[in-house]
């Protein structure tokens, strides 16, 4: 199988075809994801919660991200690998360049940063330096203390307009991809209508080009009530881990996932 690149995702977007993305943190799951033809792997800083057991993503360091990125890269020669820049690793452009270089050396193909228009210069500098960037908008977990909790974003008109402006600024600065988390389906549809680069959603409805879920969530491993957009693909598949990944990939491709009940109203 030919490895997935940004070019592959741009082609899929042009053809109106959907792509799959899962978070992953180690070589064994990464191998199973290659076997299931998962298009994109996100080495997410969610590892701070689901692997390290913290209550948020804030304690995760660049060294943690590089360690897990290298493990995933060793296990998966197929998927496009996107690594999260952890909390405060891109507070200024110089810091961002150093941190991003470490993640790319560990095996990432692009990096993801949480934030809006204020990141435009950093996006420009990273891109100029050969590092493609995905900008994460909507619910940005590294800002949980500013947001006052993990809640749906962009519900009022001012917040929706701000998000649309942030998306536009990110693309103008050269962002190669956008990711929207926990926003109303109607707002994600508006972003998609203006978005020339691949758009990944989580809790953002069916209009995005790709869908991402956290590995543990989609395997049914969570404490308490899962978020509305989570679906247990281990139960939906053939009972195997690789089967769960294949089921997710197929349901994203043919539009069965996300269903209307997985989205949020405005
Ligand atoms: O870290 C992560 O897993 C993420 C996803 C929730 C998109 O950023």
């Amino acid at each position: 199988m030919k490895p997935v690149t940004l070019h592959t995702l741009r082609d899929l977007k042009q053809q109106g075809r959907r792509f799959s993305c899962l978070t992953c943190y180690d070589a064994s799951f990464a191998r199973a994801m290659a076997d299931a033809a998962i298009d994109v792997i996100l080495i997410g800083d969610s590892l701070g919660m689901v692997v390290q057991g913290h209550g948020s993503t804030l304690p995760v360091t660049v060294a943690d991200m590089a360690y897990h990125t290298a493990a995933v890269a060793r296990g998966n020669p197929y998927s496009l690998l996107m690594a999260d820049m952890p909390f405060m690793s891109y507070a200024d452009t110089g810091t961002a360049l150093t941190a991003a270089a470490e993640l790319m050396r560990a095996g990432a193909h692009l990096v993801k940063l949480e934030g809006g228009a204020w990141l435009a210069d950093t996006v420009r500098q990273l891109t100029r330096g050969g590092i493609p960037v995905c900008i994460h908008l909507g619910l940005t977990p590294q800002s949980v203390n500013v947001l006052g909790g993990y809640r749906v974003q962009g519900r009022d008109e001012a917040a929706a307009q701000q998000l649309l402006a942030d998306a536009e600024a990110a693309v103008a600065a050269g962002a190669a991809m956008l990711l929207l988390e926990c926003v109303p389906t109607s707002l994600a549809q508006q972003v998609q209508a203006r978005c020339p680069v691949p758009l990944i959603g989580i809790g953002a409805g069916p209009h995005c080009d790709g869908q991402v879920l956290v590995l543990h969530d989609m395997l049914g491993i969570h404490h308490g009530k899962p978020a509305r957009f989570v679906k247990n693909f281990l139960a939906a598949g053939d009972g195997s881990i690789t089967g769960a990944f294949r089921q997710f990939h197929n349901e994203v491709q043919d539009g069965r996932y996300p269903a209307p009940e997985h989205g949020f109203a405005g």
Side-chain angles (χ1 to χ4, degrees):
M1 290 194 305
K2 243 173 98 178
V4 177
T5 64
L6 275 171
H7 190 72
T8 316
L9 300 186
R10 290 185 195 119
D11 278 353
L12 289 172
K13 181 180 177 81
Q14 242 179 7
Q15 295 162 23
R17 289 163 61 196
R18 302 300 192 220
F19 61 86
S20 57
C21 177
L22 287 172
T23 71
C24 186
Y25 320 99
D26 71 25
S28 299
F29 279 107
R31 164 61 57 200
M33 287 184 194
D35 291 345
I38 296 296
D39 297 298
V40 182
I41 284 181
L42 170 63
I43 302 97
D45 61 355
S46 50
L47 70 86
M49 300 171 85
V50 298
V51 176
Q52 297 175 334
H54 296 295
S56 77
T57 60
L58 273 58
V60 178
T61 65
V62 174
D64 292 335
M65 292 308 306
Y67 173 89
H68 288 279
T69 299
V72 168
R74 283 191 286 269
N76 185 312
Y78 172 72
S79 312
L80 184 75
L81 305 185
M82 172 157 70
D84 260 338
M85 298 272 283
F87 181 59
M88 280 295 143
S89 67
Y90 48 98
D92 61 71
T93 300
T95 310
L97 288 167
T98 307
E102 191 168 338
L103 300 184
M104 297 298 280
R105 281 189 205 104
H109 301 123
L110 75 160
V111 296
K112 175 164 79 63
L113 284 67
E114 298 181 5
W118 65 273
L119 283 172
D121 192 47
T122 299
V123 172
R124 243 178 254 117
Q125 298 284 349
L126 287 168
T127 307
R128 198 175 295 159
I131 302 177
V133 177
C134 174
I135 286 293
H136 181 154
L137 295 166
L139 172 54
T140 47
Q142 291 171 18
S143 301
V144 62
N145 293 303
V146 173
L147 300 176
Y150 299 100
R151 51 185 84 229
V152 179
Q153 300 295 307
R155 272 198 153 137
D156 63 71
E157 187 54 26
Q161 289 307 323
Q162 182 63 57
L163 191 144
L164 288 166
D166 283 339
E168 203 173 311
V171 170
M177 189 139 74
L178 298 184
L179 185 148
L180 280 182
E181 178 168 354
C182 286
V183 299
T185 298
S186 55
L187 178 55
Q189 189 169 19
Q190 289 179 64
V191 175
Q192 175 64 300
R194 305 165 185 204
C195 185
V197 299
L199 175 67
I200 302 185
I202 174 166
H207 303 291
C208 303
D209 302 302
Q211 296 290 333
V212 59
L213 280 177
V214 169
L215 167 65
H216 296 62
D217 286 345
M218 64 89 72
L219 294 178
I221 307 167
H222 38 72
H223 306 292
K225 193 168 173 262
R228 169 199 287 266
F229 54 81
V230 170
K231 175 168 173 174
N232 183 334
F233 284 92
L234 190 59
D238 64 9
S240 72
I241 299 284
T242 308
F245 298 159
R246 277 206 190 96
Q247 185 75 22
F248 172 72
H249 180 74
N250 292 341
E251 289 199 22
V252 168
Q253 268 197 337
D254 66 23
R256 270 177 294 160
Y257 180 81
E261 68 266 23
H262 296 121
F264 296 102

